[in-house]
């Protein structure tokens, strides 16, 4: 089979059918609101332009990079309120406000990417994978991501100021951001169960 639109031509490329993506399974298998297929395959759907979508089979590195772009955009856009707050609050904290924010944001992006790619299994849930981009999950993301960053930032500042060791504040930010991001898929499961 091939990607060619002509049935008599075989260009050696695998056919991008549902069977090719995972043995005939629906791409929406797993808990509602979760992307389990992205964690178990390297097939990725991408936006081409307004109204256009495409799907491609990637190697493991390509899928990881696609997931990194997706999660970086998701976390970056939805944490804009904290970034705006940070620009106002920069003069309030003597040490580590920007550093704890940067470390916390980076940790959220890295852990989210590894969960979506299937490299890390989220705890307290049986299904692998990250959350879908449902409109009903945007509010949950907005609250969880911003609350996580605020706790990581200000907790890190308190720890760094109290101990006079900036590295401990950064460690606080890594632990809080990483733990909250790992628990986010479980929060999605609970959110979707309450809506059902």
């Amino acid at each position: 089979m091939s990607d060619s639109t002509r049935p008599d031509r075989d260009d050696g490329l695998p056919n991008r059918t549902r069977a090719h993506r995972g043995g005939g399974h629906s791409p929406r298998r797993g808990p509602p609101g979760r992307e389990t297929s992205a964690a178990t395959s390297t097939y990725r759907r991408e936006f081409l332009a307004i109204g256009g979508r495409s799907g491609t089979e990637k190697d493991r590195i390509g899928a990881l990079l696609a997931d990194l772009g997706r999660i970086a955009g998701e976390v970056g856009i939805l944490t804009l309120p904290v970034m705006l707050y940070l620009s106002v609050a920069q003069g309030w904290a003597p040490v580590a406000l920007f550093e704890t924010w940067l470390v916390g944001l980076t940790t959220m992006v890295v852990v989210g990417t590894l969960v979506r790619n299937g490299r890390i299994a989220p705890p307290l849930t049986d299904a692998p994978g990250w959350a879908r981009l449902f409109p009903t999950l945007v509010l949950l993301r907005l609250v969880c991501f911003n609350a996580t960053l605020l706790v990581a930032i200000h907790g890190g500042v308190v720890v760094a100021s109290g101990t006079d060791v900036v590295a401990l504040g950064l460690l606080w930010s890594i632990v809080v951001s990483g733990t909250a991001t790992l628990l986010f898929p479980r929060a999605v499961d609970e959110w979707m169960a309450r809506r059902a």
Side-chain angles (χ1 to χ4, degrees):
M1 297 230 162
S2 73
D3 283 338
S4 173
T5 56
R6 291 176 42 196
D8 61 330
R9 184 167 171 235
D10 184 6
D11 56 10
L13 297 173
N15 190 2
R16 305 299 191 235
T17 62
R18 181 172 294 207
H20 180 67
R21 285 181 280 182
H25 297 290
S26 168
R28 295 193 184 266
R29 68 183 187 272
R34 295 278 299 286
E35 290 180 322
T36 57
S37 61
T40 57
S41 76
T42 56
Y43 183 86
R44 296 293 184 264
R45 295 195 57 144
E46 300 167 340
F47 291 104
L48 296 175
I50 296 175
R53 293 181 116 185
S54 173
T56 57
E57 188 75 28
K58 299 182 177 287
D59 61 2
R60 293 298 289 171
I61 299 297
L64 186 66
L65 292 175
D67 294 342
L68 177 64
R70 154 77 187 279
I71 299 297
E74 184 179 315
V75 172
I77 289 171
L78 291 175
T79 58
L80 283 175
V82 170
M83 290 184 214
L84 293 173
Y85 163 76
L86 188 67
S87 66
V88 173
Q90 187 65 35
W92 298 347
V95 295
L97 191 64
F98 175 77
E99 291 84 357
T100 54
W101 165 78
L102 186 60
V103 167
L105 184 71
T106 304
T107 302
M108 289 176 68
V109 169
V110 168
V111 172
T113 299
L114 294 176
V115 169
R116 184 171 197 268
N117 196 258
R119 309 257 174 144
I120 296 176
L124 306 176
T125 180
D126 294 333
W130 190 245
R132 291 189 178 281
L133 285 175
F134 286 160
T136 58
L137 293 175
V138 171
L139 178 63
L140 180 67
R141 281 180 164 93
L142 197 62
V143 170
C144 288
F145 292 173
N146 286 293
T148 296
L149 270 184
L150 286 174
V151 171
I153 290 169
H154 288 292
V157 167
V158 168
V159 170
S161 298
T163 62
D164 288 330
V165 180
V166 175
L168 290 177
L170 299 179
L171 182 62
W172 168 273
S173 186
I174 289 171
V175 170
V176 168
S177 300
T179 303
T181 306
L182 278 174
L183 293 175
F184 182 69
R186 177 63 184 169
V188 168
D189 292 348
E190 292 293 326
W191 176 271
M192 295 302 286
R194 288 185 185 148
R195 295 183 57 83

